[in-house]
Tab-separated table of all heavy atoms in Angstrom:
chain	number	residue	atom	x	y	z
P	1	VAL	N	24.641	90.130	-73.503
P	1	VAL	CA	23.784	90.453	-74.649
P	1	VAL	C	22.339	90.132	-74.371
P	1	VAL	O	21.435	90.928	-74.559
P	1	VAL	CB	24.258	89.740	-75.900
P	1	VAL	CG1	23.197	89.796	-77.011
P	1	VAL	CG2	25.595	90.331	-76.399
P	2	PHE	N	22.099	88.920	-73.874
P	2	PHE	CA	20.735	88.437	-73.710
P	2	PHE	C	19.970	89.177	-72.608
P	2	PHE	O	18.762	89.264	-72.607
P	2	PHE	CB	20.719	86.923	-73.427
P	2	PHE	CG	21.336	86.111	-74.526
P	2	PHE	CD1	21.921	84.888	-74.258
P	2	PHE	CD2	21.333	86.553	-75.851
P	2	PHE	CE1	22.477	84.138	-75.277
P	2	PHE	CE2	21.883	85.804	-76.871
P	2	PHE	CZ	22.482	84.585	-76.563
P	3	GLU	N	20.744	89.748	-71.661
P	3	GLU	CA	20.090	90.465	-70.553
P	3	GLU	C	20.123	91.962	-70.707
P	3	GLU	O	19.562	92.691	-69.876
P	3	GLU	CB	20.810	90.075	-69.265
P	3	GLU	CG	20.655	88.603	-68.861
P	3	GLU	CD	21.345	88.296	-67.543
P	3	GLU	OE1	22.005	89.190	-67.000
P	3	GLU	OE2	21.233	87.127	-67.092
P	4	TYR	N	20.737	92.464	-71.804
P	4	TYR	CA	21.011	93.903	-71.895
P	4	TYR	C	19.714	94.721	-71.832
P	4	TYR	O	19.713	95.782	-71.171
P	4	TYR	CB	21.769	94.218	-73.182
P	4	TYR	CG	22.265	95.624	-73.206
P	4	TYR	CD1	23.422	96.001	-72.480
P	4	TYR	CD2	21.585	96.641	-73.910
P	4	TYR	CE1	23.864	97.318	-72.492
P	4	TYR	CE2	22.028	97.958	-73.880
P	4	TYR	CZ	23.192	98.273	-73.196
P	4	TYR	OH	23.627	99.583	-73.192
P	5	PHE	N	18.648	94.274	-72.457
P	5	PHE	CA	17.437	95.084	-72.511
P	5	PHE	C	16.425	94.709	-71.418
P	5	PHE	O	15.312	95.202	-71.425
P	5	PHE	CB	16.810	94.968	-73.906
P	5	PHE	CG	17.649	95.648	-74.972
P	5	PHE	CD1	18.376	94.880	-75.869
P	5	PHE	CD2	17.722	97.017	-75.063
P	5	PHE	CE1	19.170	95.472	-76.846
P	5	PHE	CE2	18.499	97.638	-76.034
P	5	PHE	CZ	19.198	96.874	-76.939
P	6	LYS	N	16.811	93.830	-70.517
P	6	LYS	CA	15.874	93.481	-69.455
P	6	LYS	C	15.577	94.626	-68.531
P	6	LYS	O	14.432	94.834	-68.128
P	6	LYS	CB	16.435	92.287	-68.659
P	6	LYS	CG	16.171	90.928	-69.280
P	6	LYS	CD	16.605	89.823	-68.350
P	6	LYS	CE	16.244	88.426	-68.948
P	6	LYS	NZ	16.667	87.320	-68.107
P	7	ASN	N	16.609	95.381	-68.147
P	7	ASN	CA	16.454	96.457	-67.183
P	7	ASN	C	16.670	97.815	-67.803
P	7	ASN	O	16.989	98.764	-67.119
P	7	ASN	CB	17.437	96.228	-66.029
P	7	ASN	CG	17.248	94.900	-65.332
P	7	ASN	OD1	16.117	94.522	-65.057
P	7	ASN	ND2	18.296	94.192	-65.110
P	8	ARG	N	16.469	97.892	-69.118
P	8	ARG	CA	16.606	99.166	-69.813
P	8	ARG	C	15.383	99.427	-70.653
P	8	ARG	O	14.484	98.608	-70.726
P	8	ARG	CB	17.847	99.127	-70.702
P	8	ARG	CG	19.179	99.054	-69.963
P	8	ARG	CD	20.327	98.870	-70.943
P	8	ARG	NE	21.620	99.000	-70.254
P	8	ARG	CZ	22.189	98.015	-69.572
P	8	ARG	NH1	21.566	96.852	-69.450
P	8	ARG	NH2	23.361	98.205	-68.979
P	9	ASN	N	15.387	100.580	-71.325
P	9	ASN	CA	14.325	100.844	-72.271
P	9	ASN	C	14.410	99.826	-73.407
P	9	ASN	O	15.401	99.126	-73.570
P	9	ASN	CB	14.464	102.264	-72.824
P	9	ASN	CG	14.184	103.308	-71.760
P	9	ASN	OD1	13.390	103.070	-70.854
P	9	ASN	ND2	14.849	104.444	-71.865
P	10	ASP	N	13.383	99.747	-74.222
P	10	ASP	CA	13.361	98.772	-75.291
P	10	ASP	C	14.316	99.106	-76.377
P	10	ASP	O	15.012	100.137	-76.376
P	10	ASP	CB	11.918	98.588	-75.810
P	10	ASP	CG	11.374	99.867	-76.470
P	10	ASP	OD1	12.160	100.815	-76.674
P	10	ASP	OD2	10.169	99.891	-76.718
P	11	VAL	N	14.410	98.240	-77.384
P	11	VAL	CA	15.365	98.391	-78.462
P	11	VAL	C	15.176	99.698	-79.215
P	11	VAL	O	16.119	100.400	-79.555
P	11	VAL	CB	15.307	97.168	-79.418
P	11	VAL	CG1	16.216	97.370	-80.613
P	11	VAL	CG2	15.669	95.907	-78.668
P	12	ALA	N	13.909	100.042	-79.522
P	12	ALA	CA	13.623	101.274	-80.254
P	12	ALA	C	14.129	102.486	-79.515
P	12	ALA	O	14.675	103.431	-80.135
P	12	ALA	CB	12.132	101.372	-80.511
P	13	ALA	N	13.990	102.503	-78.203
P	13	ALA	CA	14.474	103.637	-77.417
P	13	ALA	C	16.024	103.686	-77.406
P	13	ALA	O	16.609	104.754	-77.436
P	13	ALA	CB	13.949	103.511	-75.988
P	14	TYR	N	16.651	102.501	-77.419
P	14	TYR	CA	18.129	102.458	-77.479
P	14	TYR	C	18.623	103.020	-78.794
P	14	TYR	O	19.631	103.742	-78.834
P	14	TYR	CB	18.547	100.986	-77.344
P	14	TYR	CG	20.046	100.725	-77.424
P	14	TYR	CD1	20.876	101.030	-76.340
P	14	TYR	CD2	20.589	100.200	-78.585
P	14	TYR	CE1	22.236	100.758	-76.442
P	14	TYR	CE2	21.943	99.931	-78.696
P	14	TYR	CZ	22.790	100.219	-77.603
P	14	TYR	OH	24.132	99.959	-77.699
P	15	ILE	N	17.899	102.746	-79.859
P	15	ILE	CA	18.312	103.217	-81.200
P	15	ILE	C	18.022	104.711	-81.341
P	15	ILE	O	18.858	105.449	-81.900
P	15	ILE	CB	17.589	102.399	-82.285
P	15	ILE	CG1	18.102	100.968	-82.263
P	15	ILE	CG2	17.791	103.038	-83.680
P	15	ILE	CD1	17.290	100.026	-83.123
P	16	GLY	N	16.869	105.153	-80.875
P	16	GLY	CA	16.491	106.552	-81.060
P	16	GLY	C	15.899	106.799	-82.447
P	16	GLY	O	15.282	105.898	-83.039
P	17	ASP	N	16.135	107.992	-82.954
P	17	ASP	CA	15.569	108.341	-84.268
P	17	ASP	C	16.073	107.408	-85.334
P	17	ASP	O	17.279	107.080	-85.391
P	17	ASP	CB	15.941	109.778	-84.641
P	17	ASP	CG	15.281	110.804	-83.737
P	17	ASP	OD1	14.238	110.465	-83.109
P	17	ASP	OD2	15.807	111.938	-83.628
P	18	HIS	N	15.170	106.986	-86.212
P	18	HIS	CA	15.569	106.086	-87.301
P	18	HIS	C	14.558	106.126	-88.410
P	18	HIS	O	13.437	106.672	-88.236
P	18	HIS	CB	15.715	104.644	-86.755
P	18	HIS	CG	14.411	104.080	-86.270
P	18	HIS	ND1	13.488	103.469	-87.092
P	18	HIS	CD2	13.853	104.080	-85.046
P	18	HIS	CE1	12.415	103.111	-86.399
P	18	HIS	NE2	12.626	103.438	-85.148
P	19	LYS	N	14.898	105.563	-89.542
P	19	LYS	CA	13.984	105.439	-90.682
P	19	LYS	C	13.982	103.996	-91.151
P	19	LYS	O	13.965	103.728	-92.343
P	19	LYS	CB	14.463	106.384	-91.808
P	19	LYS	CG	14.495	107.834	-91.419
P	19	LYS	CD	15.068	108.702	-92.544
P	19	LYS	CE	15.158	110.147	-92.112
P	19	LYS	NZ	15.776	111.002	-93.202
P	20	ALA	N	13.974	103.088	-90.205
P	20	ALA	CA	14.027	101.662	-90.526
P	20	ALA	C	13.101	100.863	-89.626
P	20	ALA	O	13.566	100.027	-88.814
P	20	ALA	CB	15.461	101.134	-90.394
P	21	PRO	N	11.792	101.094	-89.717
P	21	PRO	CA	10.864	100.398	-88.788
P	21	PRO	C	10.913	98.861	-88.946
P	21	PRO	O	10.771	98.154	-87.939
P	21	PRO	CB	9.496	100.940	-89.192
P	21	PRO	CG	9.671	101.500	-90.568
P	21	PRO	CD	11.096	101.973	-90.640
P	22	LYS	N	11.115	98.363	-90.137
P	22	LYS	CA	11.202	96.902	-90.336
P	22	LYS	C	12.378	96.339	-89.567
P	22	LYS	O	12.229	95.360	-88.805
P	22	LYS	CB	11.308	96.552	-91.803
P	22	LYS	CG	11.418	95.042	-92.078
P	22	LYS	CD	11.685	94.747	-93.525
P	22	LYS	CE	11.908	93.234	-93.731
P	22	LYS	NZ	12.222	92.924	-95.144
P	23	GLU	N	13.561	96.888	-89.761
P	23	GLU	CA	14.777	96.367	-89.106
P	23	GLU	C	14.687	96.514	-87.585
P	23	GLU	O	15.099	95.611	-86.846
P	23	GLU	CB	15.997	97.108	-89.643
P	23	GLU	CG	16.397	96.755	-91.074
P	23	GLU	CD	15.578	97.538	-92.118
P	23	GLU	OE1	14.672	98.323	-91.730
P	23	GLU	OE2	15.845	97.369	-93.328
P	24	VAL	N	14.159	97.642	-87.102
P	24	VAL	CA	14.021	97.834	-85.666
P	24	VAL	C	13.023	96.814	-85.108
P	24	VAL	O	13.229	96.254	-84.011
P	24	VAL	CB	13.563	99.279	-85.338
P	24	VAL	CG1	13.216	99.413	-83.865
P	24	VAL	CG2	14.647	100.258	-85.737
P	25	GLY	N	11.954	96.529	-85.840
P	25	GLY	CA	11.016	95.516	-85.401
P	25	GLY	C	11.618	94.139	-85.317
P	25	GLY	O	11.325	93.379	-84.390
P	26	ILE	N	12.523	93.810	-86.251
P	26	ILE	CA	13.204	92.524	-86.216
P	26	ILE	C	14.086	92.421	-84.961
P	26	ILE	O	14.061	91.441	-84.231
P	26	ILE	CB	14.054	92.336	-87.488
P	26	ILE	CG1	13.126	92.066	-88.704
P	26	ILE	CG2	15.057	91.189	-87.298
P	26	ILE	CD1	13.876	92.011	-90.023
P	27	LEU	N	14.875	93.476	-84.689
P	27	LEU	CA	15.731	93.466	-83.512
P	27	LEU	C	14.928	93.397	-82.239
P	27	LEU	O	15.290	92.658	-81.304
P	27	LEU	CB	16.623	94.718	-83.539
P	27	LEU	CG	17.725	94.748	-84.618
P	27	LEU	CD1	18.287	96.152	-84.732
P	27	LEU	CD2	18.809	93.712	-84.324
P	28	GLN	N	13.825	94.146	-82.191
P	28	GLN	CA	12.981	94.102	-80.989
P	28	GLN	C	12.433	92.700	-80.774
P	28	GLN	O	12.388	92.202	-79.635
P	28	GLN	CB	11.808	95.089	-81.170
P	28	GLN	CG	10.882	95.154	-79.954
P	28	GLN	CD	11.538	95.821	-78.739
P	28	GLN	OE1	11.898	96.978	-78.771
P	28	GLN	NE2	11.644	95.077	-77.662
P	29	ASP	N	12.018	92.063	-81.849
P	29	ASP	CA	11.477	90.702	-81.778
P	29	ASP	C	12.531	89.720	-81.219
P	29	ASP	O	12.255	88.918	-80.307
P	29	ASP	CB	11.002	90.253	-83.156
P	29	ASP	CG	10.329	88.894	-83.174
P	29	ASP	OD1	9.885	88.442	-82.084
P	29	ASP	OD2	10.221	88.274	-84.243
P	30	ILE	N	13.736	89.767	-81.751
P	30	ILE	CA	14.781	88.855	-81.341
P	30	ILE	C	15.123	89.071	-79.860
P	30	ILE	O	15.161	88.110	-79.089
P	30	ILE	CB	16.054	89.056	-82.204
P	30	ILE	CG1	15.793	88.606	-83.641
P	30	ILE	CG2	17.222	88.236	-81.615
P	30	ILE	CD1	16.953	88.936	-84.597
P	31	PHE	N	15.410	90.307	-79.479
P	31	PHE	CA	15.845	90.563	-78.106
P	31	PHE	C	14.746	90.303	-77.080
P	31	PHE	O	15.024	89.862	-75.956
P	31	PHE	CB	16.389	91.976	-77.963
P	31	PHE	CG	17.777	92.140	-78.494
P	31	PHE	CD1	18.017	92.800	-79.686
P	31	PHE	CD2	18.854	91.615	-77.805
P	31	PHE	CE1	19.289	92.924	-80.174
P	31	PHE	CE2	20.150	91.734	-78.277
P	31	PHE	CZ	20.381	92.416	-79.500
């Protein structure tokens, strides 16, 4: 889990289209 986004696109790219900028920002911050 902790290394999943090290060698990949960021969290927002993993999620793709969304209507939840606050929640995506929280996940991006944590990871």
Side-chain angles (χ1 to χ4, degrees):
V1 166
F2 300 152
E3 295 181 356
Y4 190 79
F5 292 106
K6 276 186 176 178
N7 301 315
R8 292 174 173 82
N9 293 328
D10 62 12
V11 174
Y14 177 78
I15 292 169
D17 293 338
H18 64 86
K19 299 176 183 177
K22 178 185 176 183
E23 288 83 358
V24 172
I26 288 173
L27 291 167
Q28 182 70 61
D29 185 19
I30 294 172
F31 282 106

